Amino acid sequence: MSREEEVTRILAVGLRQILEKSAIDFAGMEEIRLRVDQPFMVVCGGKKNFVSDTGEFCPGEEAHRVTLSEIGETVDYISSYSRYAFEEKIRQGFLTIQGGHRVGLCGRTVAEDGRVRTISPITFLNIRIARQIPGCGRRVAPLLWERG
């Protein structure tokens, strides 16, 4: 499965369709940010880009507005419709999906006995796209082995 498929398959159908219409370079994509009633945002090359319903980069006021329903649908896909099975990870505030991509979750926390029981509703998702950076450890690798 390609990196693009790993990420788009977890998105709500409407968001997936927007990305499929776009000319976004998935190789350079770093994050997808979904916040209720806020513009649909992707981060590529360190630059924040807002995405319209037609898949074009646009000013924030012209971007697709993410709905609570789209976030809920996305969480359902991430958890394979079994949020209960992912409850511990949700309490921690993030999930890791196929491909090593991490999904940060925010929303209203529900506490019990001073501990987070769950996040409900989840109103913000930050999908961080895993990527390889060849050679990034070259300088530190010898230091790790230096003392056994």
Side-chain angles (χ1 to χ4, degrees), residues 51-64:
V51 186
S52 73
D53 289 326
T54 61
E56 302 294 321
F57 288 157
C58 62
E61 58 273 1
E62 296 173 21
H64 172 80

Side-chain angles (χ1 to χ4, degrees), residues 24-139:
I24 294 170
D25 173 23
F26 274 84
M29 186 182 289
E30 299 166 17
E31 294 180 23
I32 298 173
R33 296 182 189 169
L34 308 174
R35 291 187 295 172
V36 172
D37 298 327
Q38 296 298 312
F40 183 16
M41 182 192 301
V42 297
V43 179
C44 299
K47 184 178 178 204
K48 297 175 185 176
N49 302 282
F50 299 112
V51 186
S52 73
D53 289 326
T54 61
E56 302 294 321
F57 288 157
C58 62
E61 58 273 1
E62 296 173 21
H64 172 80
R65 296 283 188 216
V66 177
T67 67
L68 183 60
S69 174
E70 288 170 327
I71 288 179
E73 184 181 344
T74 300
V75 173
D76 286 341
Y77 290 146
I78 291 168
S79 66
S80 301
Y81 292 92
S82 182
R83 290 187 192 195
Y84 178 78
F86 286 83
E87 202 61 44
E88 180 58 35
K89 301 259 185 220
I90 290 172
R91 275 194 288 274
Q92 293 173 3
F94 72 93
L95 301 165
T96 303
I97 62 170
Q98 183 176 1
H101 313 293
R102 289 181 62 156
V103 181
L105 309 124
C106 292
R108 194 176 128 247
T109 57
V110 178
E112 187 174 89
D113 297 324
R115 295 181 48 178
V116 174
R117 194 176 114 230
T118 192
I119 301 173
S120 183
I122 295 171
T123 57
F124 175 74
L125 298 174
N126 185 38
I127 304 164
R128 303 207 72 196
I129 314 299
R131 60 192 173 107
Q132 186 178 27
I133 304 174
C136 70
R138 235 178 242 127
R139 289 179 46 201

Side-chain angles (χ1 to χ4, degrees), residues 6-23:
E6 289 169 349
V7 173
T8 56
R9 74 183 190 89
I10 66 157
L11 294 173
V13 173
L15 299 174
R16 189 179 317 153
Q17 290 171 340
I18 289 171
L19 284 184
E20 288 170 353
K21 290 186 249 181
S22 77

